[in-house]
């Protein structure tokens, strides 16, 4: 049977609502929740809208750095890039894979680099000037520990980070990383962040402390979004 026929047959099969069993780092160890296909589709649409705000559009190229265990976050990011018709390459967010990040960056000349980690930057810094490498890149979205490293060398990086089962993504205003308020409730207690399922979420998740230092900023952002914004520990350096 030809591959096209196989795929056509597969699309006629019933598919369970459940897409992922999600395990994520929490203050008391590992938190758990479920993720349905409908929720994943909404997460993907939300990420696509945030990337569109950064100017990503059809025909551009992007480099995504995500680790294998981040599959459900990565799925939303990949789906968003596909929906925007942005060509992408993928490298691990671990330091040992920094050479692949370097090669992709050189060969793709991406409009955007998404998910840069401090470990990747530490690996790259031994062979390249981080400022020279990433200043020409129009959009740089980096993990909380990587943002101050990039801003220190003149790269106007924005925040991009898993936050429990949610995803936090900063807009071009660089006033904190937005979290989808329709899907998640983000809280703060004693300087640490928590997450719970929002009203639209079918998969239950009680308020779960994440053991992540940060604070929540409410109110409308200058970009026009009413989604809450998160400032992560040392990444709270708006400039």
């Amino acid at each position: 049977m030809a591959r096209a026929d196989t795929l056509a047959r597969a699309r006629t099969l019933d598919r369970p609502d459940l897409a992922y069993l999600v395990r994520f780092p929490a203050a008391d160890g590992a938190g758990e929740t479920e993720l349905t296909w409908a929720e994943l589709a909404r997460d993907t649409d939300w990420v696509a809208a945030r990337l569109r705000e950064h100017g990503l559009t059809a025909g551009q190229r992007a480099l995504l750095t995500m680790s294998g265990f981040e599959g459900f976050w990565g799925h939303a990011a990949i789906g968003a890039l596909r929906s925007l018709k942005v060509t992408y390459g993928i490298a691990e967010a671990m330091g040992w894979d920094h050479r692949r990040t370097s090669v992709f960056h050189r060969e793709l000349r991406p409009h955007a680099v998404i998910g840069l980690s401090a470990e990747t930057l530490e690996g790259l810094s031994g062979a390249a000037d981080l400022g020279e490498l990433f200043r020409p890149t129009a959009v740089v979205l980096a993990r909380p520990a990587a943002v101050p490293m990039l801003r220190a060398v003149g790269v106007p990086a924005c925040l991009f980070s898993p936050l429990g089962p949610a995803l936090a993504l900063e807009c071009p205003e660089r006033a904190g990383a937005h979290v989808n308020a329709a899907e998640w409730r983000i809280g703060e207690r004693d300087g640490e962040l928590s997450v719970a399922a929002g009203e639209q979420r079918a998969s239950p998740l009680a308020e779960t402390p994440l053991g992540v230092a940060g604070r929540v900023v409410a109110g409308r952002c200058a970009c026009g979004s009413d989604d809450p914004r998160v400032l992560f520990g040392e990444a709270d350096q708006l400039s």
Side-chain angles (χ1 to χ4, degrees):
M1 182 179 292
R3 181 172 182 271
D5 294 333
T6 302
L7 292 174
R9 288 282 296 274
R11 283 193 290 269
T12 68
L13 299 175
D14 291 335
R15 184 171 69 173
D17 291 336
L18 185 64
Y20 282 94
L21 294 172
V22 178
R23 288 177 62 85
F24 58 90
D28 297 328
E32 294 184 350
T33 188
E34 295 180 348
L35 177 65
T36 68
W37 289 108
E39 290 165 343
L40 183 56
R42 296 197 302 270
D43 291 343
T44 299
D45 289 344
W46 184 84
V47 175
R50 303 290 76 74
L51 295 181
R52 195 177 292 112
E53 290 171 350
H54 281 280
L56 268 73
T57 190
Q60 293 175 339
R61 296 182 292 272
L63 171 60
L64 177 65
T65 61
M66 301 289 289
S67 293
F69 68 90
E70 297 176 313
F72 48 94
W73 296 291
H75 197 297
I78 289 170
L81 292 171
R82 287 176 173 171
S83 71
L84 294 172
K85 295 181 171 54
V86 173
T87 301
Y88 62 91
I90 301 177
E92 272 278 347
M94 301 295 186
W96 50 260
D97 203 33
H98 69 273
R99 288 188 178 86
R100 180 155 48 164
T101 297
S102 178
V103 169
F104 269 130
H105 193 269
R106 182 179 67 247
E107 299 297 329
L108 278 176
R109 297 186 181 276
H111 180 83
V113 177
I114 302 169
L116 276 176
S117 68
E119 292 83 356
T120 296
L121 295 180
E122 288 165 358
L124 290 171
S125 64
D129 182 297
L130 295 179
E132 291 182 2
L133 189 62
F134 292 112
R135 276 194 298 268
T137 307
V139 179
V140 177
L141 304 177
R143 315 292 178 114
V147 166
M149 297 170 66
L150 289 162
R151 293 184 182 177
V153 294
V155 179
C158 292
L159 286 159
F160 174 96
S161 180
L163 184 62
L167 188 64
L169 205 162
E170 195 167 31
C171 71
E173 296 293 330
R174 294 193 300 157
H178 291 276
V179 178
N180 188 353
E183 302 290 335
W184 305 105
R185 290 189 290 109
I186 300 299
E188 170 194 342
R189 181 178 299 176
D190 298 328
E192 293 194 346
L193 301 171
S194 64
V195 64
E199 292 183 1
Q200 287 193 14
R201 216 74 181 173
S203 303
L205 180 66
E207 182 179 356
T208 303
L210 298 174
V212 175
R215 62 186 179 92
V216 179
V217 180
R220 176 161 291 193
C221 177
C223 74
S225 172
D226 291 317
D227 284 335
R229 286 162 282 146
V230 172
L231 297 168
F232 293 90
E234 294 301 319
D236 184 4
Q237 300 176 15
L238 305 181
S239 58

